[in-house]
Amino acid sequence: MLFSTQHAPSEEERSELFEAIGPLPLRGVAWPRWIKILAWLILAFIGLMIMQVAAGPTGKTVSPMVAGSILLCFVALLVLARYMLVSETRITHKGIEQTWITQREIAWEDIQFAKFIPLVASKRLVCFTGKGRPVVFQAGTRELQVAFARIALVYRRQK
């Protein structure tokens, strides 16, 4: 379902939003510190288990294809955890950006509807453009979380 642009906020509403958010650009980490620590602890545990199995008698009977697949998946998890560690979200006068494996960005003019989703592990802002897939941004700081909630209020879906 496509959202119409007739309910997009006016320039005045957007200016009020920028004032409510505070001085822009607002930047912060995309993931909370405790999630990053937990992710790396789990990866360390998985790595230890892989080494323990590989060094033991069971490791000698594992097919090289299976072992390679497991190692490939583990490396992919390491890459994701690394991006979680360094990812940053920025709110600017032009729009919202987040560094990730690929750069996520959306201009204010492209947002037709936004929804704030306060999950336990991650506070997210899902931005719908009316074309293509929605763009999801993470907020790892209190300031970004408050800004996301304010953005969602301004860009709420109106009937």
Side-chain angles (χ1 to χ4, degrees), residues 48-64:
L48 287 173
M49 292 294 104
I50 290 172
M51 289 190 306
Q52 186 179 29
V53 169
T58 310
K60 293 173 183 30
T61 62
V62 174
S63 159

Side-chain angles (χ1 to χ4, degrees), residues 20-83:
I21 290 174
L24 295 180
L26 175 63
R27 66 173 15 152
V29 295
W31 296 90
R33 179 176 295 166
W34 71 273
I35 288 294
K36 294 188 265 189
I37 291 170
L38 182 62
W40 282 99
L41 287 174
I42 290 170
L43 283 174
F45 177 75
I46 292 171
L48 287 173
M49 292 294 104
I50 290 172
M51 289 190 306
Q52 186 179 29
V53 169
T58 310
K60 293 173 183 30
T61 62
V62 174
S63 159
M65 294 296 282
V66 171
S69 298
I70 291 171
L71 286 177
L72 184 65
C73 289
F74 183 70
V75 169
L77 287 173
L78 287 173
V79 169
L80 286 175
R82 189 242 177 226
Y83 277 103

